[in-house]
Amino acid sequence: MDSRRLGRDVGWLWAGYLARSLGYFGLILLFTRQLGTSGFGQLSLFLAVTLGVSQVAGSWPFLAVPVLHAQGRSIGASFRPSLYVAALATAATLVVAIPVSVAIGVDAAVSVVAVVVASVALVGLQGVFAVQQTEGRMSGIAMLQTAERVVALVLAAATAVLVGLDVVGAQVVLAVASLLTLVAGFAVVGRRQRLLRREPGEMPDHEISTVVDAVGAMAIVSVCSYGIAWADIFVLAAFKSDSDVGVYSLAYQIFSFVTQLTSYWLVAALPHHARSAASGEEVHEQLPLPRLVTYTGIWAALVGLGGVVAALLLPVAFGSDFEATTPPLLLLLGGSGIFIATYFAVLPALIAAGRTPLIAKIAIGSVVVNIALDLALVPPLGVNGPAFATFAQTLFASTAVALAALGLRPTIRLLAVAAPAAAATMLLAADPNDARLLILCALVALVTAAFCLAPVARQLRSRGWRVRPRAW
């Protein structure tokens, strides 16, 4: 596998996501200031539904595009069966999602229409990203994702200035922004690929079974992932107030920024692993342990430092109403935000190797752990309960996939290198204003980074790399 090209692809995705996230944080800041904790909690329920449809119906069928293309199909012939499956899954999911929306209070006629528009647009964007992923155009994914959030921010700011922004207005803004981005993205990729029409002489491609055989088990993973990500919001809504939902939702939105960065490794690495698997390379050969340890340790250090920054800046950025967001955010970052790096580092190799049934079983176990602990911990612990539940299921899933791909001793090494930063960040949640805990968390993160970078520096020196003073 070409590690240099993979690194470049991940770099493009991260750059785009960072730009997108700046727009998204501006959007969250605008929403929290305009809507307050209760209104932001109601908007979070809208997001829970629309992102749920996207994840359940759109995230898994399009994984087949790079896999089928690696097996010799054209991109269009790989895309069309995935699109058919995604369309059927979207229709079936909306049959459930619309009544659920009404039941949880997203019941205005405009809101229901916004749910449908946003859900379909987000599923369509998954397809556009899959084509760009298969083409190796990670820069295109980065630009399109950035455009989606910038459009939403501009529309939201204009609405707030001109007529004022309420919950329904925010829902409409998000739906329109996703739809406009889908139209633009499909127009761009449609110029390069015959996505909806077969080439002359090409075999019929209405083979839904090809998608199901390639990645069908990932449908179970997608449903379980949605349960893991958003069950917390529904359980909180059942036991606590809209304000509590808003407080935790802000923590989870910021935490999602971290998990999305790690998940882009799957986007960038899957085509590479698919080619390696097709050539007969074993899973453990595609995942060299020294690189995984370095990657995991550096990621843990970065998240630990990010936790310190969040503890200092979050109350300033979002106001005193959201001060209670800091402890659950630190628990999420320290537990799930750090250990999930192992999960996404290993996952694409297992998918490419056809081990999706195993991933599905792990996902089922994870969602059972998450929901059971949500129900047990939310009533006594409030907004901190879902954070502990998310940590437990992430540790379970990361350990399980690492054991399946690498074995016991490598798994212990991966978890051990991340554990100090995770423990320090979660400890900071006990009192985010304690200067001693802030210093401890920062020191642990820096020591972890130094420990992981030392072998890299030795390797560079052994190859004759030297730092030479610049000639002025």
Side-chain angles (χ1 to χ4, degrees):
M1 188 166 60
D2 187 348
S3 58
R4 182 175 297 178
R5 181 178 176 184
L6 176 59
R8 184 177 67 248
D9 289 345
V10 174
W12 268 115
L13 291 172
W14 279 13
Y17 189 65
L18 288 172
R20 173 181 183 264
S21 296
L22 288 176
Y24 190 46
F25 281 134
L27 201 58
I28 292 177
L29 185 61
L30 181 62
F31 286 157
T32 52
R33 295 287 185 177
Q34 291 283 316
L35 305 179
T37 54
S38 180
F40 191 69
Q42 295 172 30
L43 181 62
S44 299
L45 294 173
F46 169 84
L47 292 173
V49 175
T50 56
L51 293 177
V53 175
S54 170
Q55 189 163 349
V56 171
S59 62
W60 65 273
F62 294 114
L63 289 174
V65 177
V67 174
L68 295 178
H69 181 63
Q71 296 172 1
R73 289 171 173 256
S74 68
I75 290 179
S78 303
F79 174 80
R80 286 187 291 272
S82 300
L83 179 63
Y84 304 146
V85 174
L88 292 173
T90 301
T93 307
L94 283 172
V95 169
V96 177
I98 292 175
V100 168
S101 300
V102 175
I104 62 176
V106 187
D107 51 1
V110 175
S111 298
V112 174
V113 172
V115 165
V116 175
V117 172
S119 299
V120 172
L122 290 172
V123 171
L125 280 171
Q126 299 266 13
V128 174
F129 294 149
V131 173
Q132 293 174 313
Q133 173 191 14
T134 308
E135 293 176 322
R137 297 176 183 269
M138 304 305 168
S139 59
I141 297 176
M143 288 187 287
L144 196 60
Q145 289 179 324
T146 302
E148 181 193 4
R149 290 310 180 191
V150 170
V151 169
L153 180 58
V154 170
L155 290 176
T159 303
V161 170
L162 295 175
V163 297
L165 192 65
D166 59 7
V167 175
V168 174
Q171 295 166 353
V172 172
V173 162
L174 293 174
V176 171
S178 297
L179 181 61
L180 292 175
T181 308
L182 170 63
V183 172
F186 201 87
V188 170
V189 298
R191 294 196 194 102
R192 297 191 299 262
Q193 305 291 339
R194 294 173 63 93
L195 295 179
L196 301 180
R197 291 183 297 172
R198 296 196 305 273
E199 297 288 348
E202 195 174 51
M203 294 294 291
D205 51 34
H206 293 259
E207 304 166 16
I208 294 176
S209 61
T210 60
V211 177
V212 175
D213 290 343
V215 294
M218 293 304 293
I220 300 174
V221 177
S222 297
V223 173
C224 293
S225 297
Y226 174 67
I228 291 166
W230 292 98
D232 303 343
I233 298 296
F234 291 115
V235 174
L236 271 173
F239 288 100
K240 302 294 180 178
S241 65
D242 285 341
S243 293
D244 286 329
V245 173
V247 165
Y248 181 78
S249 181
L250 177 59
Y252 200 88
Q253 293 291 322
I254 299 172
F255 163 70
S256 294
F257 163 73
V258 176
T259 59
Q260 280 290 96
L261 282 177
T262 54
S263 70
Y264 280 129
W265 187 267
L266 169 62
V267 176
L270 182 56
H272 299 266
H273 284 293
R275 290 191 290 269
S276 297
S279 68
E281 192 173 356
E282 297 293 333
V283 169
H284 69 275
E285 295 173 330
Q286 301 174 38
L287 299 168
L289 184 60
R291 289 183 183 177
L292 285 180
V293 170
T294 300
Y295 161 73
T296 302
I298 293 174
W299 182 254
L302 290 173
V303 174
L305 292 174
V308 173
V309 173
L312 294 172
L313 297 184
L314 191 144
V316 177
F318 295 98
S320 58
D321 287 349
F322 288 91
E323 189 171 356
T325 293
T326 306
L329 174 60
L330 291 171
L331 292 173
L332 287 168
L333 291 176
S336 302
I338 288 177
F339 288 111
I340 203 169
T342 299
Y343 179 82
F344 281 114
V346 174
L347 191 63
L350 292 176
I351 294 173
R355 300 180 68 178
T356 52
L358 172 64
I359 301 171
K361 293 176 183 177
I362 294 171
I364 292 171
S366 298
V367 76
V368 169
V369 169
N370 189 75
I371 293 177
L373 288 177
D374 275 340
L375 294 172
L377 297 178
V378 165
L381 299 181
V383 294
N384 289 332
F388 283 113
T390 302
F391 163 60
Q393 68 80 20
T394 302
L395 186 59
F396 166 78
S398 300
T399 303
V401 296
L403 285 171
L406 304 170
L408 179 59
R409 296 181 71 177
T411 298
I412 292 174
R413 283 187 62 184
L414 289 176
L415 297 180
V417 76
T425 307
M426 295 182 76
L427 180 62
L428 180 59
D431 188 357
N433 298 315
D434 191 321
R436 294 168 299 178
L437 292 179
L438 288 166
I439 294 171
L440 174 64
C441 187
L443 286 175
V444 170
L446 292 173
V447 169
T448 299
F451 173 79
C452 293
L453 289 173
V456 177
R458 287 196 298 268
Q459 186 178 29
L460 290 172
R461 284 196 299 268
S462 70
R463 294 178 178 178
W465 177 81
R466 295 288 187 276
V467 178
R468 294 184 175 88
R470 181 176 179 177
W472 294 94

